[in-house]
């Protein structure tokens, strides 16, 4: 489908958007040196200036509700001191449980399959402590080439931790010559070819650089078919796309909450551990008191007995302030519905793809490397540029477009359905047209 690429048409799409009201629940950054060009156009009250924010894949915008949520916890502490663990609307003692239902809905899991704890890379290591158990014959990790650096370092250090050489233990799946993204068939073939040497298949859900959404169900099947464990890093998928983790069946998944989930810088991580491992007290893990059977958590006895399900992987008591922010943000996701967000996202991303292409106008300023198939992407567009790339990026930044630059030569834009508008996307196109490089 082709969209009419005019301001009036973009505004009309916004007027018909059933999710348009959510934009008002977010605070848009303002900078004063923005919008040196053109008219000032505002829709509703997006912010003090006309900033077009496309960085929700890096740090989601602040939900207005978070301020009060944090104040509530400060009040709870002020009023009750240590008794805050047991009193108030959300006693701290059980705080992680207040996040469970919403988290499960968000990623398509059963409630006992998810827990919010720690931060992402920490959880990745905790999951690997349980699910990467190399032997002399089955020891390899199959992952995508060009994974997020933290994941690369995690895999590499896990291999070394087990006395293995990452060069031989890690098998990366790379795009074909002349291609930028992976073909599912190639991923499945590598897993099949590596066969019984594979201990773990570890992929991101959406690749941070290209924006490619992998076929997680097929990857899970292929991994399990060769007898490997399967794990996913959903940092760029959680809150971006609906998922069915329970049905797809990976052994574990982890994600962060400060990108599409808008829970603030350094926000807590979520973890999924499939039900098949829910009652596995013998599965090796790094334990802490919060993972211990809650009925006797405070008996201070020797001998670790894990909680049933994902809660059995917790180490520490809840980080109340960041969890409170996360909860306020999850409330918004619940109100919007991830399926509704996806429906809008499909249209908004398609519109952006068209706007970008038309704004380039045959100048070959960039090439979109994110897959064009909607099933293979969420709400991110990655543009591969050449030596003009940084100048284009800087020009856009000076003109109120907040995007991000990834070395060596990619500009990423995320049209986030919760708070971005069709008008935002239209205006991005106008700024690109105004670039005369
Ligand atoms: C953002 C991101 C991270 C960041 O990890 P933290 O532990 O939260 O700092 C890790 N992995 C991926 C794939 C990411 O996108």
């Amino acid at each position: 489908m082709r969209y009419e690429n005019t301001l009036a048409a973009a505004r009309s799409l916004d007027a018909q958007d059933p999710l348009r009201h959510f934009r008002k629940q977010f605070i848009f950054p303002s900078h004063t040196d923005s919008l040196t060009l053109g008219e000032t156009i505002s829709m509703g009250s997006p912010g003090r200036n006309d900033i077009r924010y496309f960085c929700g894949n890096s740090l989601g915008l602040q939900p207005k509700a978070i301020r009060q949520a944090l104040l509530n916890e400060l009040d709870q502490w002020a009023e009750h001191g240590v008794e805050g663990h047991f009193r108030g609307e959300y006693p701290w003692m059980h705080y992680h449980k207040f996040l469970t239902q919403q988290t499960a809905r968000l990623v398509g899991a059963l409630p006992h399959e998810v827990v919010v704890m720690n931060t992402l890379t920490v959880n990745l290591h905790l999951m690997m402590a349980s699910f990467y158990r190399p032997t002399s014959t089955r020891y390899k990790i199959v992952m995508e080439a060009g994974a997020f650096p933290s994941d690369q370092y995690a895999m590499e250090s896990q291999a070394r931790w087990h006395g293995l050489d990452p060069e031989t233990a890690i098998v990366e799946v790379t795009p074909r010559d002349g291609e930028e993204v992976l073909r599912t068939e190639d991923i499945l073939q590598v897993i099949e070819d590596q066969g019984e040497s594979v201990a773990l298949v570890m992929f991101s859900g959406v690749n941070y650089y290209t924006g490619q959404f992998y076929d997680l169900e097929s990857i899970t099947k292929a991994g399990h078919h060769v007898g490997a464990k399967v794990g996913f890093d959903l940092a760029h998928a959680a809150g971006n796309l609906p998922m069915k983790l329970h049905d797809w069946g990976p052994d574990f998944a982890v994600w962060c909450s400060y990108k599409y989930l808008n829970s603030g810088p350094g926000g807590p991580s979520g973890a999924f551990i499939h039900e098949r491992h829910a009652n596995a007290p013998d599965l090796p893990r790094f334990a802490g008191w919060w993972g211990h059977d809650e009925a006797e958590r405070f008996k201070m006895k020797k001998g670790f007995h894990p909680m049933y399900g994902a809660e059995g992987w917790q180490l520490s008591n809840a980080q109340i302030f960041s969890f409170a922010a996360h909860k306020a943000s999850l409330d918004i996701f619940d109100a919007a519905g991830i399926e509704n967000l996806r429906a809008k996202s499909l249209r908004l991303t398609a519109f952006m793809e068209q706007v970008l292409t038309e704004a380039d106008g045959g100048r070959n300023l960039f090439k979109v490397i994110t897959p064009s198939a909607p099933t293979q992407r969420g709400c991110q567009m990655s543009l591969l540029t050449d030596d003009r790339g940084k100048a284009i990026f800087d020009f856009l930044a000076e003109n109120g477009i907040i995007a991000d630059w990834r070395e060596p030569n990619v500009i990423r834009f995320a049209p986030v359905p919760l708070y971005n508008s069709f008008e935002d996307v239209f205006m991005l196109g106008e700024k690109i047209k105004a670039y005369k490089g």
Side-chain angles (χ1 to χ4, degrees), residues 91-339:
W92 299 328
M93 169 95 158
H94 308 290
Y95 210 97
H96 60 281
K97 292 188 197 286
F98 305 133
L99 302 166
T100 301
Q101 298 289 339
Q102 291 171 319
T103 301
R105 276 197 284 282
L106 192 70
V107 297
L110 301 174
H112 56 263
E113 290 176 320
V114 295
V115 67
V116 173
M117 58 183 188
N118 313 313
T119 51
L120 172 54
T121 309
V122 170
N123 284 342
L124 192 50
H125 279 296
L126 291 181
M127 293 300 109
M128 293 188 68
S130 291
F131 299 107
Y132 178 53
R133 311 282 312 154
T135 66
S136 60
T137 53
R138 186 186 280 286
Y139 60 93
K140 290 182 186 164
I141 301 171
V142 175
M143 65 187 292
E144 85 250 38
F148 192 88
S150 199
D151 299 42
Q152 294 186 35
Y153 306 148
M155 301 303 127
E156 191 185 308
S157 60
Q158 283 279 338
R160 288 216 172 87
W161 166 251
H162 288 284
L164 299 164
D165 177 0
E167 286 297 318
T168 49
I170 298 175
V171 178
E172 292 186 337
V173 187
T174 49
R176 294 187 187 184
D177 279 349
E179 298 186 5
E180 307 293 340
V181 297
L182 296 176
R183 298 192 190 197
T184 304
E185 66 209 81
D186 291 354
I187 300 172
L188 306 184
Q189 191 64 50
V190 170
I191 296 170
E192 193 62 33
D193 290 348
Q194 296 293 330
E196 293 183 0
S197 69
V198 186
L200 177 69
V201 174
M202 178 71 218
F203 267 73
S204 61
V206 171
N207 181 275
Y208 82 103
Y209 197 75
T210 63
Q212 180 176 20
F213 178 44
Y214 298 116
D215 181 345
L216 303 184
E217 186 175 18
S218 301
I219 293 172
T220 303
K221 280 208 181 82
H224 286 166
H225 183 69
V226 298
K229 294 284 189 284
V230 177
F232 295 124
D233 184 331
L234 305 177
H236 284 266
N240 178 4
L241 293 144
M243 289 177 283
K244 295 196 167 91
L245 290 186
H246 174 78
D247 294 345
W248 295 345
D251 296 279
F252 70 89
V254 288
W255 56 93
C256 57
S257 65
Y258 48 82
K259 293 174 179 165
Y260 293 105
L261 292 176
N262 313 317
S263 300
S269 168
F272 163 92
I273 294 120
H274 196 274
E275 187 179 36
R276 76 178 76 90
H277 305 296
N279 187 13
D282 296 332
L283 193 61
R285 69 184 85 191
F286 292 160
W289 71 324
W290 232 249
H292 186 80
D293 177 11
E294 63 189 350
E296 45 176 52
R297 188 174 294 152
F298 294 92
K299 298 215 167 115
M300 311 305 194
K301 287 199 299 202
K302 256 176 94 72
F304 175 71
H305 301 294
M307 289 283 294
Y308 180 82
E311 286 188 25
W313 270 265
Q314 294 174 106
L315 299 183
S316 302
N317 70 99
Q319 302 132 246
I320 297 302
F321 298 108
S322 64
F323 281 31
H326 189 35
K327 184 171 185 318
S329 179
L330 288 174
D331 287 344
I332 300 174
F333 273 86
D334 245 18
I338 188 74
E339 296 288 346

